[in-house]
Amino acid sequence: MRDGLAGGGSEHAAERPRLPTISAHPGLRDRIEDFLDAAPLELEFTGFATEADYQRYVDAYALPAFMLIAGLIAGEDTPVGYREACRVYIDGSQRLDFVNDLSEDLADGRLNLVRETLDAHGVTRVDLENARDATGIRSLPAHLLGQAASPCPPTGAWSASRRPRGARCSAP
């Protein structure tokens, strides 16, 4: 992809359609570069020992990945506070994703929950893998879902204040 960005062309079938989009949306180039810089973090991921580790992951990987799409939605004239609003959204969304995908992630050998949170609930990876019925296991999902919701203010006020001028919302 970097060669395509540098030269404006590519022989790779997956890259070719992206290059005209980058030409039409010049701000996308920097977001792609940010994402490419961050991509190795996902490949090297070994888990989160602390909440600070999780926050670094959001800033270094999840937000740049999300900004690939969110930046196109905002357009070239990004509203003030848009990236910050996207940061709030992706923090909560990533947490929700980790809860929803917990069983699949464990089966794939990944644990995406913060270890200090598990420790605070007296839950181990083995407890999760074996679906043990314990007080900590029962209280953990509510805590995690509360964390997922906590960064997001009430939906109506947040979405109305962050919608770019001229953007339309439509329902199917």
Side-chain angles (χ1 to χ4, degrees), residues 22-155:
I22 294 165
S23 295
H25 303 280
L28 183 58
R29 177 181 299 275
D30 289 339
R31 289 187 291 276
I32 288 174
E33 291 284 354
D34 290 345
F35 175 72
L36 291 173
D37 290 343
L41 292 173
E42 181 69 5
L43 298 174
E44 299 163 0
F45 179 81
T46 59
F48 309 115
T50 66
E51 178 64 22
D53 293 338
Y54 167 76
Q55 293 299 326
R56 278 190 292 278
Y57 173 87
V58 169
D59 289 331
Y61 176 75
L63 182 59
F66 181 68
M67 291 307 296
L68 291 171
I69 303 300
L72 288 173
I73 293 168
E76 298 305 315
D77 186 24
T78 305
V80 173
Y82 188 74
R83 184 177 176 87
E84 293 78 12
C86 288
R87 171 61 169 81
V88 168
Y89 170 80
I90 200 62
D91 182 359
S93 180
Q94 189 67 72
R95 289 178 189 276
L96 182 59
D97 180 61
F98 287 161
V99 172
N100 286 336
D101 295 346
L102 181 59
S103 180
E104 283 176 31
D105 290 340
L106 286 170
D108 290 340
R110 290 176 59 106
L111 178 58
N112 295 322
L113 305 179
V114 176
R115 192 173 59 241
E116 68 185 7
T117 301
L118 294 175
D119 292 347
H121 286 266
V123 175
T124 67
R125 180 187 190 118
V126 172
D127 293 336
L128 294 169
E129 290 171 337
N130 293 312
R132 291 196 176 128
D133 184 20
T135 302
I137 293 282
R138 289 189 299 271
S139 67
L140 184 62
H143 174 81
L144 295 171
L145 293 174
Q147 282 185 306
S150 68
C152 301
T155 308

